[in-house]
Amino acid sequence: MEILNSIDNGILTLEFNRPERKNAITAAMYQAMADALTAAETDTAVRAILLVGKPEIFTAGNDLEDFMKNAPTSGAIEDRSVYKFMMALSGATKPVVAAVAGNAVGIGTTLLMHCDLVYAADNAKFSMPFVQLGLCPEFGSSLLLTQIAGYPRAAEKLMLGEAFGAQEALEIGLISKVLPVDELRAFAEGQAAKLVALPASSIRVTKELMKAARKAPTSEAIAAENIHFGKMLSSPEAKEAFMAFFQKRKPDFTQFA
């Protein structure tokens, strides 16, 4: 199973489990997470959700080979598994805790902006290399990162796409705490257990109130990003970026205006 799914003591744990491919996410993995998150909404046995990877890697983001096979066409974006995952996580009414160790690339970073409590190991590295792939931000990150970090820092992270460490992620407000890698998961599980012990209705209403002002704008940002993202996948720049990736060379964007 490339997404491990378990419920224990009120916590639904979803774990990336594809270490041989750096936990790169396929369409099937997105669907598995979307289904689990959707089911959790009505499952009274679930009172908190925990997203984790491995001690050495959270996720390398999209599996590019699988992603290109399942690239969006003119069909409705609502039918895509990645979109279903986005909607399930951004719309989750139960508290979501994330524990990040190692690299969190692309959606591995943007998904954190939809979680409630985010903790990182001291070996964590975050990056959103969308522009480097001839694409644009996704999962509402063009809006949410600007709100979290402020425009100058968000522009640096989204336009340059360069990796940054856990301490900087803490400074810009993307995460709440940095821990030694061997302490991360136990700490995150402990925080999730605290949420389980609290009144579920109070947690639910508090989350709803905190996210109310950004609910509609976030949905609009995700939809707008997906439209641009889909169009840009067939652009010359994106084709050059993907070709360079598979050929293991540096892309040349100077040929494009």
Side-chain angles (χ1 to χ4, degrees), residues 112-113 115-116 118 144-145 147-150 153 164 166-177 214:
L112 304 175
M113 301 173 202
C115 298
D116 302 296
V118 183
L144 297 178
L145 189 60
Q147 293 179 340
I148 292 168
R153 284 179 164 178
F164 56 100
Q167 191 57 43
E168 187 172 359
L170 179 64
E171 291 171 0
I172 68 175
L174 181 63
I175 65 174
S176 298
K177 194 177 185 67
R214 76 180 203 186

Side-chain angles (χ1 to χ4, degrees), residues 2 16 18 20-30 59-71 82 105-108 133 138 229 233 242 245-246:
E2 294 177 334
F16 294 114
R18 199 186 181 209
E20 73 282 0
R21 293 297 298 273
K22 299 182 179 180
N23 284 346
I25 311 172
T26 63
M29 293 166 71
Y30 280 123
T59 173
N62 284 314
D63 181 308
L64 292 184
E65 187 173 347
D66 179 85
F67 184 76
M68 293 311 295
K69 289 179 182 176
N70 294 280
V82 63
V105 181
I107 198 168
L133 291 171
E138 39 87 302
F229 199 98
L233 275 173
F242 282 98
F245 176 84
F246 290 119

Side-chain angles (χ1 to χ4, degrees), residues 223-234:
E225 289 169 349
N226 278 337
I227 291 172
H228 288 291
F229 199 98
K231 292 178 179 178
M232 296 177 81
L233 275 173
S234 58

Side-chain angles (χ1 to χ4, degrees), residues 59-128:
T59 173
N62 284 314
D63 181 308
L64 292 184
E65 187 173 347
D66 179 85
F67 184 76
M68 293 311 295
K69 289 179 182 176
N70 294 280
T73 62
S74 58
I77 58 175
E78 291 82 0
D79 295 332
R80 295 169 55 208
S81 56
V82 63
Y83 184 80
K84 292 176 182 178
F85 166 70
M86 289 180 177
M87 291 298 97
L89 181 58
S90 64
T93 60
K94 297 181 180 181
V96 182
V97 181
V100 182
N103 287 346
V105 181
I107 198 168
T109 292
T110 60
L111 71 82
L112 304 175
M113 301 173 202
H114 300 272
C115 298
D116 302 296
L117 306 180
V118 183
Y119 305 104
D122 49 17
N123 71 337
K125 287 283 185 182
F126 306 87
S127 61
M128 293 167 283

